Amino acid sequence: MNLAYDFSWIISVCRGYRCLKDGHNVSVHNSLKGLHFSTDVSNSSGSQGLDKDDMESMKYKLLVDCGPDQECVTGGIVALGKFDALHLGHRELAIQASRAGTPFLLSFVGMAEVLGWEYRAPIVAKCDRKRVLSSWAPLCGDVVPLEFHVEFSKVRQLSPRQFVERLSKDLRVSGVVAGENYRFGYRASGDASELVRLCEEYGLEAHILSSVLDSKRGGGGAAGGSKELVSSTRVRQALAVGDVNYVAELLGRRHRLVLRVPEDFDSAAEGSKLSIPRSCLLNQQPKEGLYESCSLLADDRLIGPCNVVISTSHVHVELEGGPGQLLAKGDYRHVGIDLGG
């Protein structure tokens, strides 16, 4: 089912506005590609400090983590699509949009609940998205894309015209970027050509990009086949069959598996080995089996090369080269494992 509201990138020229990001105030300075961001933790407010009028106003706003003024993306370029995997196609949208402003990721919250979808683990762990977006900065005018969210229930019923109208009047963006297969509006009734027409009507720029294809493989990840669209679905399919090298090709980076370190975890007793329950996984893992030539990280600190076995109950990691020194208990919150590539 092709859903319209799986868009996620907003590119902004956010001149001098104060935007909320992860509960902190983010100051945006200068203009266009020279923008720089600073985080002022001491002035963090989140939803605290809002009066009743502000709280009431928030009920009708699209950006749930931007504050009542909704000025975080004013004047920018909105890149539209589904951005759960942050794959090569998503990166191309961000690059195109960054040429006219500063890239912002606009993700939807509450889609599964509204649509009755069965829960699926995210492809990118929530705590790892900032790292991935930071890696795009050299291609986006040396600006790290920031992330904001829209409550899906607030836009689900909008017609294509109403959707573009809200982008124009509520978020006050200056244009959009989308892929050629993009669908939007209630029941995905609008396509890319209608997006261009409506944007012209509302005085917005519209840039439609050709689909990004994989470089080496065809359907099902088989080598030598015809080129296929890079998509989040293909990433999930490749993970399901354990083809982590193909996953790395689609993502443009190694897939990082992230696990929360349990409170009773103690790596010291294992020396160069550790085992963490699969219940601690924070994103989608590949199929069960052995994965060699991986990299182990504690939070974002590289520990060393390793081999990994994913069993029915645990993720087992062994550092290459024999006994090694793992970090002591309590030194880190997450374990990362880079697979493939």
Side-chain angles (χ1 to χ4, degrees):
M1 183 176 181
N2 197 345
L3 291 168
Y5 299 113
D6 290 343
F7 74 85
S8 295
W9 282 98
I10 278 191
I11 311 305
S12 170
V13 187
C14 239
R15 299 176 181 173
Y17 293 114
R18 298 195 64 82
C19 309
L20 282 176
K21 178 69 176 77
D22 292 337
H24 306 314
N25 288 324
V26 179
S27 297
V28 186
H29 307 287
N30 300 326
S31 62
L32 295 177
K33 299 180 180 177
L35 289 175
H36 300 281
F37 296 90
S38 62
T39 301
D40 183 0
V41 178
S42 63
N43 291 328
S44 298
S45 61
S47 60
Q48 298 179 0
L50 296 178
D51 58 27
K52 288 185 177 180
D53 289 339
D54 285 339
M55 294 300 291
E56 184 67 22
S57 175
M58 286 296 289
K59 294 180 181 179
Y60 305 99
K61 302 303 182 182
L62 288 183
L63 302 180
V64 299
D65 48 2
C66 181
D69 57 19
Q70 296 286 281
E71 293 179 335
C72 296
V73 298
T74 298
I77 306 295
V78 181
L80 307 173
K82 186 176 182 180
F83 295 86
D84 53 344
L86 299 180
H87 56 56
L88 287 177
H90 299 151
R91 191 178 73 181
E92 286 303 309
L93 291 178
I95 292 171
Q96 176 63 34
S98 70
R99 294 170 182 168
T102 301
F104 285 83
L105 175 62
L106 185 64
S107 302
F108 283 92
V109 293
M111 289 187 67
E113 293 82 356
V114 171
L115 299 174
W117 291 350
E118 183 179 351
Y119 172 77
R120 294 192 302 179
I123 295 173
V124 182
K126 183 177 180 180
C127 61
D128 195 37
R129 294 179 73 85
K130 183 177 179 181
R131 176 191 67 88
V132 176
L133 299 177
S134 296
S135 73
W136 291 1
L139 302 173
C140 294
D142 291 324
V143 176
V144 177
L146 298 181
E147 187 167 24
F148 295 95
H149 300 86
V150 166
E151 189 70 46
F152 178 69
S153 60
K154 293 182 179 180
V155 296
R156 183 191 183 192
Q157 302 292 333
L158 298 183
S159 68
R161 175 178 295 278
Q162 290 171 328
F163 176 68
V164 174
E165 182 178 34
R166 294 211 68 176
L167 291 179
S168 174
K169 295 184 178 181
D170 291 1
L171 298 186
R172 301 185 296 282
V173 302
S174 61
V176 303
V177 178
E180 60 184 351
N181 295 322
Y182 180 69
R183 307 288 305 192
F184 70 108
Y186 184 57
R187 294 187 175 179
S189 56
D191 59 13
S193 62
E194 184 171 10
L195 180 63
V196 171
R197 180 181 64 79
L198 287 171
C199 285
E200 182 177 355
E201 183 176 332
Y202 281 91
L204 304 178
E205 300 177 30
H207 307 273
I208 306 300
L209 302 186
S210 299
S211 299
V212 175
L213 304 178
D214 61 6
S215 61
K216 298 179 180 179
R217 308 189 181 213
S226 60
K227 293 184 177 181
E228 298 286 344
L229 293 179
V230 172
S231 69
S232 298
T233 298
R234 294 188 67 77
V235 173
R236 289 191 182 277
Q237 290 172 341
L239 284 171
V241 298
D243 193 347
V244 292
N245 289 327
Y246 186 44
V247 171
E249 179 189 330
L250 295 171
L251 297 179
R253 65 182 184 278
R254 301 172 79 184
H255 179 60
R256 178 165 296 183
L257 196 61
V258 181
L259 300 98
R260 174 183 53 84
V261 176
E263 293 182 2
D264 59 353
F265 178 72
D266 187 357
S267 65
E270 298 292 339
S272 63
K273 300 179 181 179
L274 59 89
S275 295
I276 301 178
R278 281 177 52 167
S279 59
C280 294
L281 282 165
L282 299 181
N283 60 323
Q284 184 177 345
Q285 78 278 359
K287 68 176 293 188
E288 297 170 10
L290 169 65
Y291 297 90
E292 299 178 314
S293 302
C294 303
S295 296
L296 176 67
L297 303 100
D299 292 329
D300 287 329
R301 291 171 288 176
L302 179 64
I303 301 300
C306 65
N307 296 320
V308 176
V309 173
I310 300 178
S311 70
T312 56
S313 61
H314 285 74
V315 176
H316 306 281
V317 181
E318 181 174 5
L319 287 170
E320 292 183 0
Q325 181 64 46
L326 295 180
L327 295 181
K329 177 183 176 181
D331 284 351
Y332 51 103
R333 297 176 57 192
H334 299 100
V335 167
I337 303 169
D338 283 345
L339 305 165

